Amino acid sequence: MNSEQRAAIQDNPLVTRQDLALALEQLTAPLGPLYSPGGARLRAGRTGASYPSAVAEMEGFSRVLWGLVPLLMGGGSSPLLDTVLDGIRHGTDPAHDEYWGDVADYDQRLVEMAVFGFALAAVPEKIWTPLAPKEQKQLYSWLNQINAHPCYDCNWLFFNVLVNAGFKKLKLTYDEGQLETNLQRMDAFYLDEGWYSDGVNGHSDYYVPFAIHYYGLLYAKLMEQEDPERSALFKERARLFAPAFISWFAPDGSALPYGRSLAYRFAQSAFWSAYAYAEVEGDFPAGVVKGLVLRNLRWWFSQEIVDRDGVLTIGYTYPNLVMAENYNAPGSPYWALKTFLPLAFSEEHPFWKAEELPLPELPAVSVQQPAHLVMVREAGHVAAFNSGHLYTNEHTHTSAKYEKFVYSTGFGFSVPRAEWGLSQGAFDSMLALSEGGDNLYRVRRRNLKSEITDNVLHSVWKPWSDVEVRTWIIAGLPWHIRVHRIAAGRALDIAEGGFALGQEAERGQFISPTGAAACTAWGATAIKGLLGYSKVQGKAELIMPNANTNLLRPRTVLPTLTASLEPGVHWLVSAVYGDPAGNPAKDSWSRQAAGILEQQPELTLQAVIEQEAIKVITVDGKALTISMD
């Protein structure tokens, strides 16, 4: 794909079904030359993952099918189909050089089998029937390995479900026991109000909508006659989930950057595609669901997400390996094609006949207890305030992806580049602590307590065994307030970061003894100390994080309060400002920054201090009693 073709996808209006089919072609046409001679492998790039390159190339092959299968379901065709059929023939043939191999327990190839199960159930005439009997037997045998090897106890269990559902639809021998066991196991992950966690004690992130709900809705539609009771259950849970998940989307089509696997990009809206596909009778008409999908795709296609040849890159709004997971191979981003499920509909389907509608009116503040979040909306800005989690995992950048105090559609979030100092750590929306003079910082990773009352979030966490931090966040926009009680058995250096703001060549800034602010074409951000910083060795700074630490912008500036604490109990209170609405008048940026620090936060705060302990905080005239239990 040349530069003109690349611009075309950015200019694609994404209004009609034909537009969406064209977008799929624009995304997949550049892949043609990247297939292996036998068609069974797709080499989308040269970077590595936790599994061998041969497996990564098989992954690339399979993930393109998430877009091709809906296209075929809707009566469309693709020039890649012959290559795909050859790839299936050779990839499942043990005698061929491109054989996909015998799988092992918890193998990445188990993940990639899911789309084949979907294909067998949805379009057998396109994927199964064209194969010769011997080739059908080889495909069945290769896929049936999933019944002999365990998957991780999380959304992975659905991969087995989809393969066995495909077998069942074709009246092939399938593992009825595993199918039922895995479906029942999903109930153990169910929380409340439509929410799942990704495994017992797992996180509630995009793996809820683009994995567990998505697969459940595929199953609900495909197996509606065979399993009507569970089909109805999956639809009902999606119906309950939708009113909460819709608040993760901004009016411009962007969605909340939060959690892992964000390199899958527009898979963010795949839930809504499956919601329409399964014909969920929920609170939102077809026009609203259509708008959610198409606006999200338009937003993504306006970002720098493909390379000069038109191949999807690893990253978020730009190519970025710093934020990637260990399981992100070059072909991994094509999981985003799951959102193209509306191609399964004819032009007469209600999804395509409906007029695209904007977001409905949504509450300015909403509490999502199962996800540990308070969602706040102001104009076009969406922020998710986070009380933290009682459990953690070993995925890349877990603290940055799950334990920041707030996540934002306008500012994104940052991940550390390395471990030394504030610039490498990029500690936006976090409290970072270091042993005095050590310059190696720790942040919140897991919590001893995590709770939400109205718009106040409370957590207790211990970065060291002799350091306890009690944090209260009063959620709001454009200002929010943070309160920390730090009981330290050692001397500490601390840094409290605001929102990281994208910058390029110029910015406006203002630094006072108690606050720092910055303004650029991408908005304004500030932090100011309200209480406690005058009693410690504290100051305000503008940190310049390492390049490529932020998901939205390669270069950022980060207003930060720093302080040095002696052993003992300290109370620190700050106000943080964030407005991503950019000001084009460069000559006023510095005045704007100074004016922000002169503002009084709308969430005004008063504190009553008795014997080195804050007893009551008053926010907007409402007393919040802080319990030390």
Side-chain angles (χ1 to χ4, degrees), residues 7 10 17 28 83 98 134-135 169 185 187 193 211 222 282 287 357-358 450 463 470 535 539 541 555 562 575:
Q10 295 175 331
R17 185 185 181 280
T28 57
T83 301
E98 295 184 12
K134 178 182 177 182
E135 294 163 348
K169 294 291 285 188
R185 183 60 176 165
D187 291 335
E193 301 170 16
L222 295 169
L357 296 176
S450 175
R470 294 175 177 246
K535 295 184 179 182
K539 65 176 181 177
E541 307 179 49
R555 300 179 66 246
T562 60

Side-chain angles (χ1 to χ4, degrees), residues 372-376 383-387 405-406 457 473 475-477 480:
H372 307 273
L373 299 175
V374 174
M375 306 299 299
V376 180
F385 292 84
N386 171 33
S387 65
F405 300 139
V406 58
L457 304 93
I473 307 294
L477 287 175
H480 69 271

Side-chain angles (χ1 to χ4, degrees), residues 187-370:
D187 291 335
F189 308 156
Y190 187 71
L191 301 175
D192 196 9
E193 301 170 16
W195 285 91
Y196 289 87
S197 59
D198 190 24
V200 174
N201 298 326
H203 292 101
S204 295
D205 54 17
Y206 280 108
Y207 276 91
V208 177
F210 71 37
I212 295 178
H213 272 302
Y214 187 89
Y215 303 136
L217 291 172
L218 291 185
Y219 183 90
K221 180 67 173 179
L222 295 169
M223 306 297 289
E224 196 160 15
Q225 299 302 315
E226 293 86 347
D227 192 354
E229 183 176 344
R230 192 169 276 116
S231 174
L233 176 66
F234 286 148
K235 291 184 184 182
E236 173 62 11
R237 288 176 176 176
R239 184 191 70 81
L240 292 172
F241 175 72
F245 186 50
I246 198 172
S247 69
W248 288 37
F249 290 79
D252 67 353
S254 62
L256 184 72
Y258 170 68
R260 66 188 177 99
S261 294
L262 294 176
Y264 302 152
R265 293 188 175 104
F266 42 94
Q268 288 171 330
S269 53
F271 167 82
W272 300 108
S273 297
Y275 184 94
Y277 172 68
E279 299 177 298
V280 176
E281 295 181 1
D283 298 335
F284 305 116
V288 168
V289 176
K290 179 179 181 180
L292 282 158
V293 173
L294 297 183
R295 280 192 304 275
N296 185 244
L297 289 173
R298 290 187 200 113
W299 187 88
W300 275 112
F301 293 164
S302 71
Q303 310 302 318
E304 299 290 330
I305 62 174
V306 297
D307 65 18
R308 67 182 63 189
D309 296 319
V311 177
L312 284 173
T313 60
I314 298 171
Y316 199 66
T317 62
Y318 61 94
N320 186 353
L321 287 175
V322 177
M323 54 78 68
E325 263 70 50
N326 196 37
Y327 52 80
N328 287 161
S332 297
Y334 285 90
W335 225 39
L337 297 181
K338 293 163 78 174
T339 301
F340 281 72
L341 195 52
L343 288 177
F345 309 147
S346 74
E347 293 181 358
E348 301 305 311
H349 189 277
F351 182 93
W352 291 116
K353 296 290 285 185
E355 177 186 359
E356 181 180 333
L357 296 176
L359 289 173
E361 185 174 347
L362 298 172
V365 179
S366 58
V367 178
Q368 298 182 356
Q369 290 280 4

Side-chain angles (χ1 to χ4, degrees), residues 77-100:
S77 61
S78 169
L80 293 179
L81 180 57
D82 287 342
T83 301
V84 166
L85 289 172
D86 281 343
I88 292 172
R89 293 182 178 103
H90 299 144
T92 59
D93 181 358
H96 198 275
D97 290 343
E98 295 184 12
Y99 177 54
W100 289 329

Side-chain angles (χ1 to χ4, degrees), residues 305-596:
I305 62 174
V306 297
D307 65 18
R308 67 182 63 189
D309 296 319
V311 177
L312 284 173
T313 60
I314 298 171
Y316 199 66
T317 62
Y318 61 94
N320 186 353
L321 287 175
V322 177
M323 54 78 68
E325 263 70 50
N326 196 37
Y327 52 80
N328 287 161
S332 297
Y334 285 90
W335 225 39
L337 297 181
K338 293 163 78 174
T339 301
F340 281 72
L341 195 52
L343 288 177
F345 309 147
S346 74
E347 293 181 358
E348 301 305 311
H349 189 277
F351 182 93
W352 291 116
K353 296 290 285 185
E355 177 186 359
E356 181 180 333
L357 296 176
L359 289 173
E361 185 174 347
L362 298 172
V365 179
S366 58
V367 178
Q368 298 182 356
Q369 290 280 4
H372 307 273
L373 299 175
V374 174
M375 306 299 299
V376 180
R377 309 177 69 87
E378 189 209 36
H381 187 198
V382 178
F385 292 84
N386 171 33
S387 65
H389 301 82
L390 303 180
Y391 302 92
T392 187
N393 59 44
E394 299 302 322
H395 287 296
T396 308
H397 300 311
T398 289
S399 289
K401 294 175 179 177
Y402 293 104
E403 293 299 332
K404 289 185 187 287
F405 300 139
V406 58
Y407 295 85
S408 159
T409 57
F411 297 100
F413 67 87
S414 303
V415 297
R417 183 73 177 270
E419 73 281 1
W420 181 262
L422 300 182
S423 294
Q424 294 184 14
F427 301 117
D428 61 329
S429 299
M430 302 182 102
L431 177 68
L433 306 94
S434 170
E435 292 193 80
D438 185 58
N439 209 32
L440 294 173
Y441 286 83
R442 299 188 181 193
V443 294
R444 186 170 72 168
R445 183 173 178 87
R446 63 182 296 271
N447 299 269
L448 302 176
K449 180 181 289 188
S450 175
E451 57 190 10
I452 299 173
T453 305
D454 296 327
N455 69 322
V456 179
L457 304 93
H458 177 220
S459 63
V460 180
W461 46 290
K462 300 186 74 169
W464 289 271
S465 61
D466 61 349
V467 177
E468 181 189 80
V469 182
R470 294 175 177 246
T471 296
W472 292 262
I473 307 294
I474 298 91
L477 287 175
W479 288 97
H480 69 271
I481 291 172
R482 305 177 191 171
V483 180
H484 303 292
R485 179 189 184 272
I486 303 172
R490 63 186 72 194
L492 296 172
D493 294 327
I494 65 113
E496 176 90 29
F499 291 107
L501 174 65
Q503 64 166 347
E504 193 41 59
E506 301 180 53
R507 69 172 183 273
Q509 65 183 56
F510 188 83
I511 301 175
S512 73
T514 59
C519 299
T520 73
W522 289 305
T525 179
I527 191 168
K528 58 192 296 185
L530 299 183
L531 185 71
Y533 285 95
S534 62
K535 295 184 179 182
V536 296
Q537 299 179 40
K539 65 176 181 177
E541 307 179 49
L542 289 174
I543 301 297
M544 304 300 155
N546 277 198
N548 306 317
T549 49
N550 187 261
L551 270 65
L552 295 184
R553 308 290 178 191
R555 300 179 66 246
T556 57
V557 55
L558 176 55
T560 302
L561 296 174
T562 60
S564 296
L565 310 179
E566 296 299 323
V569 176
H570 304 270
W571 285 86
L572 301 173
V573 182
S574 63
V576 177
Y577 178 91
D579 181 1
N583 179 357
K586 296 180 182 180
D587 58 353
S588 69
W589 284 349
S590 292
R591 292 195 303 274
Q592 183 182 353
I596 291 170

Side-chain angles (χ1 to χ4, degrees), residues 64-251:
V64 174
L65 297 181
W66 286 111
L68 292 187
V69 170
L71 179 69
L72 298 173
M73 292 167 67
S77 61
S78 169
L80 293 179
L81 180 57
D82 287 342
T83 301
V84 166
L85 289 172
D86 281 343
I88 292 172
R89 293 182 178 103
H90 299 144
T92 59
D93 181 358
H96 198 275
D97 290 343
E98 295 184 12
Y99 177 54
W100 289 329
D102 297 339
V103 305
D105 296 351
Y106 310 108
D107 197 301
Q108 181 65 29
R109 286 165 291 190
L110 301 172
V111 178
E112 310 313 324
M113 290 180 181
V115 73
F116 291 92
F118 175 39
L120 295 182
V123 283
E125 72 281 5
K126 299 290 186 179
I127 299 297
W128 179 257
T129 305
L131 302 179
K134 178 182 177 182
E135 294 163 348
Q136 292 177 344
K137 182 178 180 180
Q138 288 173 169
L139 174 58
Y140 173 82
S141 296
W142 188 81
L143 290 173
N144 196 41
Q145 293 179 97
I146 202 168
N147 288 316
H149 295 279
C151 292
Y152 289 110
D153 191 32
C154 59
N155 74 89
W156 277 47
L157 299 180
F158 253 125
F159 307 146
N160 181 286
V161 168
L162 290 178
V163 170
N164 279 298
F167 289 168
K168 184 174 182 179
K169 294 291 285 188
L170 283 177
K171 302 188 185 312
L172 301 172
T173 302
Y174 71 99
D175 193 325
E176 183 176 5
Q178 280 210 56
L179 176 63
E180 182 62 27
T181 296
N182 289 341
L183 287 167
Q184 290 182 9
R185 183 60 176 165
M186 289 298 139
D187 291 335
F189 308 156
Y190 187 71
L191 301 175
D192 196 9
E193 301 170 16
W195 285 91
Y196 289 87
S197 59
D198 190 24
V200 174
N201 298 326
H203 292 101
S204 295
D205 54 17
Y206 280 108
Y207 276 91
V208 177
F210 71 37
I212 295 178
H213 272 302
Y214 187 89
Y215 303 136
L217 291 172
L218 291 185
Y219 183 90
K221 180 67 173 179
L222 295 169
M223 306 297 289
E224 196 160 15
Q225 299 302 315
E226 293 86 347
D227 192 354
E229 183 176 344
R230 192 169 276 116
S231 174
L233 176 66
F234 286 148
K235 291 184 184 182
E236 173 62 11
R237 288 176 176 176
R239 184 191 70 81
L240 292 172
F241 175 72
F245 186 50
I246 198 172
S247 69
W248 288 37
F249 290 79

